[in-house]
Amino acid sequence: MHILEQKIRNARAEGRMALVPFIPAGFPSPGRFRAAVEDLDAHGADIIEIGIPFSDPVADGPAAEEACRRALASGVTPRGILKELRARAEKLQAGLALRGYMNSILQYGPENFAKDAADAGVTGCVIPDVPLEESGELRGTLGAWGIALLASYMRNKAEGESLSQYLEEKVFSGQKGTTIQPDAKDVEGFDAFIKRYSAGLPIERAAVDFLK
């Protein structure tokens, strides 16, 4: 069983939701980021999701976008993030997942990224601009190093439609960073997504099972 799945199922066995906080790498400063990761771990985070700053975070809201801008301005890089995590990998009890965009991985080199991430104790990646249907190659590259790819799904994405158009018009509808009631069409699409995940993606399935 993958470590991230185990973390989620352990929380479920304790009768609670898994605690999965998100923190942008290098924000609000590199020093405070390091302290925040250690504090989250010490206070019971099951999985810590760490954002890789990117100049065009199209799937994130204004708060995360501003955090990315500040982190990039302070010189935060993917290599620097993994170096920081590698120095603390043996001290952390929480599972580590990175959230970022495919461009950062391509610039790094997928094989090198997977190896360095694994050395840093990373066991999962959330890449919102890689749809489930197109994730096979990256899933294999990461999986060879024990890293699970938690992919996105793109329901009704039209041929030729840009990712930013799809996200703005069909997923977020201008409501990024807010809490809204789900659209009935979104619920229908999510149900189909759940069925696909239930067919054989254990980490996502473990999370979904808890919600049933």
Side-chain angles (χ1 to χ4, degrees):
M1 183 181 296
H2 192 277
I3 186 172
L4 297 185
E5 180 185 0
Q6 187 64 63
K7 293 288 185 181
I8 294 170
R9 293 198 179 280
N10 286 349
R12 181 180 182 182
E14 295 172 5
R16 62 179 179 83
M17 301 287 281
L19 177 60
V20 187
F22 169 78
I23 180 170
F27 182 81
S29 68
R32 291 177 65 185
F33 164 72
R34 289 191 292 270
V37 169
E38 292 172 357
D39 285 346
L40 290 170
D41 183 65
H43 287 82
D46 296 291
I47 301 167
I48 301 174
E49 184 182 357
I50 297 172
I52 300 174
F54 183 58
S55 58
D56 189 22
V58 294
D60 292 294
E65 185 174 352
E66 176 62 15
C68 282
R69 186 190 68 77
R70 294 188 188 183
L72 290 171
S74 68
V76 174
T77 66
R79 292 184 188 278
I81 295 166
L82 295 180
K83 182 179 179 180
E84 289 282 355
L85 294 177
R86 185 163 56 248
R88 290 161 177 75
E90 295 182 359
K91 302 176 183 178
L92 301 176
Q93 300 299 311
L96 293 179
L98 295 177
R99 175 185 169 87
Y101 291 84
M102 190 61 191
N103 185 269
S104 298
I105 296 176
L106 291 175
Q107 291 294 320
Y108 200 115
E111 291 284 353
N112 291 333
F113 175 83
K115 177 182 181 300
D116 290 352
D119 288 344
V122 172
T123 53
C125 280
V126 180
I127 312 295
D129 58 347
V130 175
L132 178 66
E133 294 83 355
E134 300 174 16
S135 65
E137 184 175 353
L138 181 60
R139 186 180 298 278
T141 300
L142 295 174
W145 291 92
I147 300 173
L149 174 64
L150 289 84
S152 304
Y153 80 106
M154 294 190 177
R155 176 178 177 269
N156 293 337
K157 184 177 183 297
E159 184 175 355
E161 182 179 19
S162 71
L163 175 65
S164 59
Q165 283 179 311
Y166 174 81
L167 292 171
E168 289 287 355
E169 298 172 9
K170 295 183 178 177
V171 178
F172 299 108
S173 302
Q175 298 294 331
K176 292 183 289 186
T178 65
T179 300
I180 59 174
Q181 291 297 316
D183 184 275
K185 293 181 180 178
D186 291 335
V187 173
E188 178 184 349
F190 188 68
D191 284 343
F193 182 52
I194 294 308
K195 289 178 181 178
R196 280 189 291 170
Y197 267 160
S198 297
L201 297 177
I203 298 168
E204 293 91 337
R205 188 173 66 245
V208 170
D209 286 347
F210 185 85
L211 300 177
K212 293 181 178 178

